[in-house]
Amino acid sequence: MCLSFTSFCIKGLAKDNSGQPVNIEIPRELPEMPDHSAPFTIARCYSAPSPKDSETSANETAAPLILQIGKSLSNEGELTESSGNSIVYEVEAVSQNGIQLPPIVAKLAKETTGRTLSREAGFYDTLRDLQGVVIPRCYGYFRTFVSLQETYIIPWDTNPDAKTVFPRVGFSVYNLPHPAASLNILLLERLGRPLNQITRLGKYRDSLYLQLEAMVTAVSRFGIVHMDIAGRNVLEASTTPLDPATIDTSHGPYNWRIIDWGCATTEQDFQGNILSRMKYDTEHMLTYELYSAWCRREVEGSEVENDDDSNMG
């Protein structure tokens, strides 16, 4: 699915110096693409419409889409800085302007890690044929510049425990906020639970390995290696929990999606066989996550009798 809006307004992310909420309009940008030797075409969903286009599609509009930031999915619901290079938020459409939006999340780069998010967007574009099959659907990379002397970005507060006092006045001349900080956001499909949060994981064991092996094989054909295959980065394809009885253990359709391509690299930059590396990482991850799921059930006092998790084979 390719949503062809060229910008959106984000609510709930920023305040002005008086402490009043402000909306920020963010235009779509082209991401930084992986360095491939073979040429390829930027996906249309990342492209702004040409000035020569005289017709406007049903989903394109002059008025920006307005999205409201919800709870953080990275830091137990708090709208504060978390570990890593980015923070993922639930978002809700306040004004859709005729655009039919699926459930989405916003991935916000931290103040100094915008290039990492831009590069991740480039991998999503390179793997666009696998979107909605192996990886999440990506609905665009957006970037703008904000003056931190005039605007306070809530998640970028490096000391959230020290409550910011408004109005903000009298910045130190030796530590002025950035006058043109890069605000980077990636809009992605909303998925279900990560593997490392599923307690009864043993019920999925047979299908998990078959599907993930096929999924990383598909990725390898594009000359890409993920480099961070972990339980937190393999999510259920749907927000509705999977029913083990309905899972097809053949190679499709896949019930999982691989996320977080910020650490990915290309075959040219990787020393070794990329498919062997990803298969090894997958096997190691599954062994660890199956054992961890069994331990979580033991701690919670769950019944393990007649359950696949109790057979670690």
Side-chain angles (χ1 to χ4, degrees):
M1 180 178 182
C2 188
L3 301 181
S4 50
F5 53 91
T6 59
S7 67
F8 70 90
C9 272
I10 193 77
K11 295 184 64 175
L13 192 67
K15 298 179 180 180
D16 62 19
N17 283 341
S18 68
Q20 295 301 308
V22 293
N23 297 349
I24 299 178
E25 184 171 353
I26 310 179
R28 187 188 299 272
E29 292 286 346
L30 295 177
E32 180 176 329
M33 304 303 295
D35 184 17
H36 280 61
S37 56
F40 51 90
T41 304
I42 303 294
R44 172 63 182 170
C45 60
Y46 286 110
S47 305
S50 168
K52 297 180 181 179
D53 291 344
S54 58
E55 297 181 0
T56 303
S57 70
N59 280 346
E60 288 176 335
T61 176
L65 172 72
I66 300 177
L67 299 178
Q68 172 71 52
I69 283 285
K71 72 176 183 179
S72 167
L73 302 177
S74 307
N75 198 35
E76 300 180 353
E78 297 296 325
L79 194 66
T80 55
E81 180 161 335
S82 65
S83 59
N85 294 318
S86 58
I87 316 170
V88 178
Y89 293 104
E90 292 180 342
V91 290
E92 179 182 355
V94 176
S95 173
Q96 294 182 256
N97 295 311
I99 300 173
Q100 296 302 310
L101 282 179
I104 59 175
V105 297
K107 187 169 187 177
L108 168 70
K110 295 185 178 178
E111 182 179 351
T112 59
T113 60
R115 185 174 185 179
T116 299
L117 194 68
S118 176
R119 190 170 178 271
E120 179 175 6
F123 280 107
Y124 272 106
D125 189 85
T126 303
L127 298 171
R128 59 190 175 275
D129 290 342
L130 301 183
Q131 290 187 24
V133 181
V134 171
I135 65 176
R137 292 180 177 90
C138 179
Y139 300 116
Y141 165 64
F142 300 80
R143 183 182 70 231
T144 193
F145 299 98
V146 295
S147 170
L148 299 184
Q149 298 174 21
E150 301 174 357
T151 306
Y152 170 73
I153 304 298
I154 301 170
W156 285 357
D157 192 337
T158 57
N159 188 14
D161 293 330
K163 189 176 179 68
T164 300
V165 177
F166 293 97
R168 295 195 307 162
V169 293
F171 297 117
S172 168
V173 295
Y174 302 106
N175 189 25
L176 286 174
H178 201 295
S182 180
L183 181 67
N184 298 261
I185 292 180
L186 195 60
L187 294 183
L188 297 164
E189 174 184 16
R190 178 72 189 268
L191 300 172
R193 299 170 298 174
L195 283 184
N196 64 356
Q197 292 182 13
I198 299 176
T199 300
R200 301 176 68 87
L201 193 57
K203 291 181 174 292
Y204 307 101
R205 179 171 53 228
D206 293 338
S207 66
L208 258 175
Y209 180 75
L210 289 174
Q211 290 197 15
L212 289 176
E213 181 182 40
M215 290 163 69
V216 297
T217 298
V219 170
S220 72
R221 296 191 183 108
F222 289 81
I224 301 296
V225 57
H226 186 276
M227 299 299 291
D228 191 22
I229 294 178
R232 65 183 181 278
N233 291 333
V234 178
L235 274 60
E236 292 173 314
S238 170
T239 53
T240 302
L242 294 175
D243 179 357
T246 65
I247 294 179
D248 182 3
T249 56
S250 67
H251 289 172
Y254 305 126
N255 303 104
W256 313 91
R257 300 289 182 266
I258 303 173
I259 67 165
D260 201 353
W261 294 84
C263 294
T265 189
T266 63
E267 189 171 23
Q268 290 91 334
D269 295 330
F270 181 75
Q271 300 297 320
N273 185 287
I274 60 174
L275 180 56
S276 296
R277 166 61 187 264
M278 285 193 288
K279 283 185 175 181
Y280 172 82
D281 288 348
T282 299
E283 292 174 4
H284 179 78
M285 179 271 292
L286 285 178
T287 300
Y288 174 81
E289 293 300 343
L290 284 165
Y291 178 72
S292 296
W294 179 79
C295 290
R296 288 195 297 272
R297 294 196 63 210
E298 286 287 283
V299 170
E300 294 168 4
S302 302
E303 291 290 332
V304 295
E305 186 174 329
N306 297 322
D307 184 80
D308 288 341
D309 281 350
S310 62
N311 178 16
M312 299 308 298

